[in-house]
Amino acid sequence: MSQESSTAYLAKHDLERKIADAVAAALKARPANPLEFIGKYLLPKVSMEVTTVVTKPIAGQKPGTSGLRQKTRTFMGESYLQNFVQSVFDALVSEGVAVKGGTLCVSGDGRYFNSTAIQIIIKMAAAAGVTRVWCGTGGLLSTPAMSAVIRTRDPAGGAAPIGGFILSASHNPGGIDEDFGIKYNGENGGPAPEKLTDKIYKNTTTIAEYKICSGLPDVALDAPAKHKLADGFEVVVFPCVEDHVALLKKVFDFGAIKKLFERKDFSMIYDSMNGVQGPYAKAIFYGEFGAAPGSCINAEPKEDFGGHDSPSHGHADPNLTHAVELVAAMGLNKMGLPIETPKPPPSFGAAADGDADRNMIMGSKFFCSPSDSLAVIVANAQCIPWYKGGLKACARSMPTSMATDLVAKKLGIPFFEVPTGWKFFGNLMDSGSAAFPNSPSYIPFICGEESFGTGGDHVREKDGMWAVLAWLQILAAKNTDPSKPLVGVADVVMAHWAEYGRNYYARYDYDGVDKAAAEKMMAAMVAEQPKLIGTTINGMTISSADMFEYNDSVDGSISKNQGIRFMFSDGSRFVFRLSGTGVVGATIRLYLEKYTPPTGDLSLHAFDVIKPLGEIALQVSKLVEFTGRTEPSVIT
């Protein structure tokens, strides 16, 4: 071999060795996820160029108590979602929130348009200067799980999240012809305060442009992975159940609950209603407690929650009307009356709504109203490890029955009556913190509302799974001896009534009412209130009447026009309120309550007891005359 050919030969093999070494090093350092490996080593770098898109305001983008909700096709319209998201980012910047360089969480309840909306928000977050976006696998996070993630997830790189977008319309039906929604939760994990939502809305009325990194690729959300899309920007996909389940294991004694499941006389059925709760239900009831196969029904999230052909007609709302399969399995009809069943009902039943922040509790042929559920949980809170030192306060929304008031009085703890909307509870949960240093601390704290929402201070949202586990913890505490008969839901509730009395309670919903007509009805009632005080109608005397106003003792804010109240001399009352959760027309809610002391008849059916009160309410309100509606859409 010549000197020249020898040199060429060595050079060639030296180059091959260097290439081999480089490939070996790359393979050694490669991510476990093949998609990330491809993106890091084989694909060209993506563009982080920010595109500014000219737009104009779109009417009606005012967030309600649970964010912005509209028909799905409306959200899919040109610039509708983008306008709102940009308005949120602009409001956050004006409030001094460190959006640039921040970490943001984005996920939803899996309804139609969820995945597409997530990809749009990721690209807009990059344009806003966010450096890291967190997403649950499948783009899924229940509403309480989102709060848990914001509050507890170990932040990568030490950057705590600035907040998160929840893509959900809660219990409203899902599908391309149904509803979609979005709301922003802040760094405490709770819904944006009114001050911020007012700024967001103002921005939607003046917006002229939005910014987006349209050159970024869509991110695969189907498996946990870290996607580094460009220098200074990444999307982290994590298991959607891990943070929430980990937090709940700190709140409750899972070992004690598992022993309850080991009893041969205990059985349960849990209905996720094809909403986001399915993965959480299976992880907890099957994975942690060893529940029998078939205990979790409708546990696969679907974009339309099962659709119109399902028993619930795609309406993932945990109540007697819509949770058809669960209610029948527990031996009741939609009025809560017992029916014959082909086999004995399970001893415990529960359901969740689309985004899993609501709950329904049932026993064998027994329905526990949300108001009673809250009162029972507060009365028995000390059997739950998180509250073993005792509660410092509790609260309910104004329309919720006054059953919890009686418990708070006996416990000697502060009690609060707040407007509908979880953000009011959030202030009480953050009392005494750095956000409100001049307020006394009211935690540990439990709260709830009649609309099937209950929760504690572990997160800043209502938490359907928390409520179910609270009940299971109470049942576990009352069933420590397997040789004794099972103490069930009905036993616990009836013992509670025997001690505190019973607040017979029901709610009538009138959906899709002409909004102008509903507002005229409400205004007319307010005008008539002074004249009606002291009058007697159908044998019942009105002792007081007002429009509820809330003075927040934590932040000093005042919330007016929160519902019309009529109180009677025997302690009964009815309340009218316009709901902000619908997307078509207005929803009028009528709340009816009559108290019976422990010495009275506690065994009557609630709808029978409050019916005469409902007749008085319809007479006073002139609802039929104003709206033309003679029957409620739903009674719960």
Side-chain angles (χ1 to χ4, degrees):
M1 184 180 295
S2 67
Q3 179 66 34
E4 184 176 352
S5 60
S6 174
T7 302
Y9 175 83
L10 293 174
K12 175 185 175 183
H13 283 271
D14 185 54
L15 178 60
E16 290 174 347
R17 179 182 57 77
K18 288 179 178 179
I19 292 173
D21 289 345
V23 170
L27 289 172
K28 185 177 181 181
R30 75 188 188 279
N33 188 302
L35 293 176
E36 190 175 345
F37 174 71
I38 292 170
K40 185 172 183 179
Y41 293 103
L42 303 181
L43 295 181
K45 294 292 183 181
V46 298
S47 171
M48 279 285 288
E49 181 180 353
V50 176
T51 301
T52 300
V53 181
V54 175
T55 188
K56 59 184 179 181
I58 300 173
Q61 290 197 313
K62 184 175 178 61
T65 56
S66 297
L68 178 64
R69 293 182 187 174
Q70 288 291 345
K71 287 297 181 183
T72 305
R73 290 187 187 275
T74 299
F75 268 96
M76 295 169 67
E78 184 178 3
S79 300
Y80 193 90
L81 173 66
Q82 292 88 335
N83 276 19
F84 187 79
V85 172
Q86 186 65 57
S87 296
V88 173
F89 283 135
D90 291 344
L92 292 173
V93 171
S94 71
E95 285 288 293
V97 177
V99 174
K100 289 188 176 181
T103 297
L104 180 75
C105 193
V106 182
S107 286
D109 62 15
R111 66 179 59 230
Y112 191 90
F113 193 56
N114 186 74
S115 298
T116 302
I118 288 173
Q119 302 296 343
I120 292 171
I121 296 172
I122 287 173
K123 294 168 187 177
M124 292 188 70
V130 170
T131 58
R132 183 180 298 105
V133 175
W134 291 345
C135 294
T137 45
L140 301 176
L141 279 178
S142 71
T143 291
M146 170 67 81
S147 187
V149 166
I150 293 172
R151 293 178 62 79
T152 68
R153 186 167 184 80
D154 183 29
I162 60 172
F165 284 101
I166 301 177
L167 306 176
S168 173
S170 188
H171 55 289
N172 293 19
I176 191 169
D177 293 315
E178 297 295 349
D179 301 342
F180 192 81
I182 182 173
K183 73 172 181 174
Y184 185 80
N185 280 31
E187 60 186 356
N188 73 336
E194 198 165 350
K195 178 184 176 183
L196 181 61
T197 56
D198 285 346
K199 281 193 173 185
I200 293 169
Y201 175 59
K202 184 177 180 180
N203 288 345
T204 68
T205 66
T206 59
I207 189 169
E209 62 184 33
Y210 67 83
K211 299 180 185 299
I212 186 168
C213 289
S214 54
L216 289 178
D218 285 354
V219 178
L221 302 175
D222 56 336
K226 182 182 290 186
H227 302 274
K228 186 174 177 60
L229 300 185
D231 291 338
F233 184 71
E234 66 180 14
V235 176
V236 179
V237 182
F238 59 91
C240 64
V241 303
E242 69 177 4
D243 297 284
H244 192 213
V245 173
L247 180 57
L248 291 171
K249 292 176 80 169
K250 294 179 181 179
V251 177
F252 300 100
D253 182 349
F254 273 37
I257 296 174
K258 186 173 182 179
K259 289 181 180 178
L260 175 69
F261 276 76
E262 291 170 353
R263 288 184 62 127
K264 293 182 179 179
D265 55 357
F266 178 81
S267 56
M268 71 156 283
I269 183 170
Y270 187 86
D271 190 350
S272 296
M273 302 193 78
N274 292 123
V276 75
Q277 188 77 299
Y280 301 86
K282 289 187 285 188
I284 291 175
F285 297 123
Y286 292 150
E288 298 290 341
F289 301 147
S295 297
C296 296
I297 64 173
N298 299 315
E300 296 301 324
K302 296 182 179 180
E303 289 187 333
D304 60 357
F305 303 144
H308 294 288
D309 293 333
S310 69
S312 68
H313 303 298
H315 205 132
D317 197 355
N319 56 43
L320 292 170
T321 300
H322 295 115
V324 177
E325 291 174 273
L326 172 68
V327 173
M330 297 305 296
L332 296 175
N333 64 15
K334 67 178 183 179
M335 298 297 288
L337 295 171
I339 59 173
E340 292 298 320
T341 56
K343 61 181 180 179
S347 49
F348 181 79
D353 69 331
D355 68 330
D357 61 351
R358 300 187 184 206
N359 73 95
M360 179 167 65
I361 303 297
M362 306 183 76
S364 177
K365 297 194 175 185
F366 184 85
F367 166 67
C368 179
S369 77
S371 294
D372 282 333
S373 177
L374 172 63
V376 168
I377 293 172
V378 170
N380 292 274
Q382 283 188 281
C383 75
I384 301 170
W386 191 271
Y387 310 102
K388 64 182 179 182
L391 292 171
K392 285 191 177 180
C394 63
R396 63 166 172 83
S397 66
M398 182 273 287
T400 302
S401 95
M402 296 182 283
T404 302
D405 310 28
L406 302 172
V407 178
K409 183 178 180 180
K410 183 171 183 178
L411 294 177
I413 59 175
F415 162 78
F416 297 90
E417 181 181 34
V418 308
T420 298
W422 211 258
K423 59 189 175 185
F424 298 102
F425 294 132
N427 273 1
L428 293 165
M429 294 181 197
D430 284 337
S431 60
S433 68
F436 304 109
N438 297 322
S439 168
S441 174
Y442 295 119
I443 58 173
F445 176 86
I446 288 176
C447 56
E449 53 192 20
E450 50 70 39
S451 55
F452 296 82
T454 330
D457 57 273
H458 64 299
V459 292
R460 295 297 180 266
E461 289 280 4
K462 66 191 85 169
D463 189 342
M465 184 60 78
W466 175 95
V468 172
L469 292 176
W471 264 98
L472 291 172
Q473 192 83 79
I474 292 168
L475 293 177
K478 295 181 182 298
N479 288 284
T480 55
D481 187 346
S483 66
K484 293 183 178 180
L486 182 75
V487 176
V489 173
D491 300 312
V492 173
V493 174
M494 287 189 284
H496 183 90
W497 291 339
E499 181 175 356
Y500 294 97
R502 182 177 180 185
N503 294 71
Y504 284 101
Y505 183 87
R507 186 182 93 190
Y508 293 178
D509 288 359
Y510 298 83
D511 295 319
V513 176
D514 179 78
K515 187 175 182 181
E519 290 173 346
K520 285 181 181 178
M521 184 196 80
M522 297 290 282
M525 261 194 292
V526 171
E528 287 294 310
Q529 280 185 323
K531 304 173 189 176
L532 291 170
I533 296 173
T535 62
T536 299
I537 305 175
N538 295 353
M540 297 184 67
T541 301
I542 298 174
S543 58
S544 65
D546 65 5
M547 172 65 86
F548 180 57
E549 180 177 296
Y550 179 62
N551 296 291
D552 195 311
S553 63
V554 178
D555 69 3
S557 63
I558 299 175
S559 300
K560 300 182 178 182
N561 303 318
Q562 295 298 314
I564 296 173
R565 302 188 293 183
F566 284 85
M567 302 290 295
F568 293 83
S569 56
D570 68 347
S572 301
R573 67 171 184 159
F574 67 80
V575 174
F576 275 96
R577 180 179 157 270
L578 297 184
S579 171
T581 61
V583 300
V584 177
T587 294
I588 298 173
R589 300 203 196 281
L590 167 58
Y591 310 87
L592 304 160
E593 179 176 5
K594 184 174 178 60
Y595 176 71
T596 298
T599 53
D601 191 344
L602 307 175
S603 62
L604 302 175
H605 191 261
F607 294 161
D608 294 332
V609 174
I610 56 82
K611 187 176 180 180
L613 188 60
E615 292 170 354
I616 296 174
L618 293 176
Q619 181 179 333
V620 169
S621 67
K622 297 182 175 60
L623 184 144
V624 177
E625 291 91 324
F626 276 103
T627 69
R629 298 291 291 274
T630 58
E631 296 292 334
S633 311
V634 179
I635 300 177
T636 53

